[in-house]
């Protein structure tokens, strides 16, 4: 058990489809607080290094939502993928206002490195997800650091897309459920970026998937996106996928965008299509 050397505290371990769904806690250097993450180790991980699929969750979520609601375990077990699901923000930092609303502060880290007081000491989710967490996972478990992919939901997909676009070649494949594609143009993004990154909107562009895509150097990327047609957040202009699809087409980036009739924003929607997403990643991770 490598993780015992890495100051990880195991919170839970449950057998699932022959593998183990575990939750750990650790002291995060980037976030200056204790953080939990979930990791599924498929049966294959007992004897050989497995590829790792990272899942980034949406607003209000913890590491628990995806592992308890999406039903991904059977497909991950069959394809031999380790699946890592971090929390969505620092916790218990005692920052004034952190618990006042569901879409800012706790549970709403937005996967950026904040530059503004009082958030900048703790709210560094971009560096946590890009650097600290993968280093911890690679050092603690039988995963192959050369084979990583990334997927998520909503705010998490904003994280997924910026991580992939800011780090060409880092991930073998990308997928998303109902992504926030252009935070600089949507109400959620404007509010959060003002608070976390300040009023200078030129700083916001570094964390906007649609803007980043325009300067992407064109390293191979295969993106699968599912979007519920009855998603209230789509209808309210929070997600803006059309801008992103147009930018992909312009850059000749391979994107499959599926508008799913009758589905909305919830984990029922995710559970319906998660096996397709695991297959999408397995195709590249097991190539």
């Amino acid at each position: 058990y490598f993780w015992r050397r890495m100051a990880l505290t195991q919170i839970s371990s449950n057998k699932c489809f022959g593998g183990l769904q575990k939750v750990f806690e650790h002291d995060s250097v980037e976030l200056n607080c204790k953080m939990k993450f979930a990791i599924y180790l498929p049966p294959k991980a007992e004897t050989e290094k497995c590829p790792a699929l990272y899942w980034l969750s949406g607003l209000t979520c913890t590491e628990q939502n995806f592992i308890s609601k999406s039903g991904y375990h059977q497909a991950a077990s069959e394809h031999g993928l380790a699946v890592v699901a971090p929390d969505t923000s620092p916790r218990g930092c005692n920052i004034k206002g952190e618990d006042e609303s569901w879409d800012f502060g706790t549970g709403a880290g937005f996967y950026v490195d904040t530059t503004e007081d009082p958030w900048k000491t703790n709210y560094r989710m971009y560096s946590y997800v890009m650097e600290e967490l993968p280093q911890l996972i690679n050092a603690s478990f039988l995963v192959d650091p050369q084979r990583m992919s990334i997927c998520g939901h909503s705010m998490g997909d904003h994280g997924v897309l910026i991580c992939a676009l800011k780090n060409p070649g880092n991930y073998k494949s990308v997928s998303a459920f109902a992504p926030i594609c252009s935070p600089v143009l949507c109400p959620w993004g404007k509010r959060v970026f003002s608070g976390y990154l300040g009023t200078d909107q030129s700083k916001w562009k570094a964390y906007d998937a649609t803007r980043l895509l325009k300067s992407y150097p064109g390293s191979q990327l295969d993106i699968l996106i599912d979007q519920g047609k009855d998603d209230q957040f789509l209808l309210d202009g929070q997600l803006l996928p059309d801008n992103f699809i147009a930018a992909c087409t312009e850059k000749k980036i391979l994107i499959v965008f599926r508008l799913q009739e009758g589905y909305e924003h919830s984990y029922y929607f995710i559970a319906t299509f998660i096996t397709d997403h695991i297959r999408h990643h397995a195709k590249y991770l097991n190539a």
Side-chain angles (χ1 to χ4, degrees), residues 247-276:
C248 278
T249 310
E250 202 175 300
K251 294 289 282 190
K252 297 185 170 55
I253 284 173
L254 191 56
I255 180 169
V256 173
F257 180 84
R258 309 191 302 189
L259 195 59
Q260 303 287 8
E261 191 75 46
Y263 287 91
E264 27 64 62
H265 199 74
S266 73
Y267 267 88
Y268 296 111
F269 158 60
I270 294 169
T272 306
F273 301 106
I274 191 65
T275 301
D276 289 353

Side-chain angles (χ1 to χ4, degrees), residues 8-111:
L8 291 178
T9 306
Q10 183 169 290
I11 304 292
S12 63
S13 180
N14 300 92
K15 190 164 184 178
C16 193
F17 289 98
L20 291 168
Q21 176 64 67
K22 293 176 178 281
V23 175
F24 290 93
E25 187 173 66
H26 72 110
D27 288 310
S28 167
V29 178
E30 285 289 355
L31 308 177
N32 284 298
C33 67
K34 282 195 184 307
M35 287 295 282
K36 289 184 185 142
F37 66 84
I39 182 168
Y40 179 68
L41 299 166
K44 203 170 94 173
E46 287 175 28
T47 52
E48 60 182 287
K49 284 193 170 187
C50 295
L53 175 61
Y54 285 79
W55 170 275
L56 303 185
S57 284
L59 287 163
T60 74
C61 291
T62 68
E63 79 291 338
Q64 287 293 324
N65 300 66
F66 181 66
I67 67 174
S68 57
K69 291 180 172 181
S70 72
Y72 77 88
H73 295 94
Q74 185 169 5
S77 171
E78 285 169 9
H79 291 287
L81 307 186
V83 181
V84 182
D87 202 345
T88 56
S89 76
R91 299 273 165 183
C93 300
N94 299 315
I95 298 170
K96 190 177 182 325
E98 71 181 349
D99 295 325
E100 280 173 14
S101 55
W102 65 277
D103 55 0
F104 187 75
T106 303
F110 257 83
Y111 306 98

Side-chain angles (χ1 to χ4, degrees), residues 102-122:
W102 65 277
D103 55 0
F104 187 75
T106 303
F110 257 83
Y111 306 98
V112 302
D113 286 349
T114 59
T115 55
E116 303 304 295
D117 288 323
W119 310 99
K120 65 184 181 188
T121 311
N122 304 97

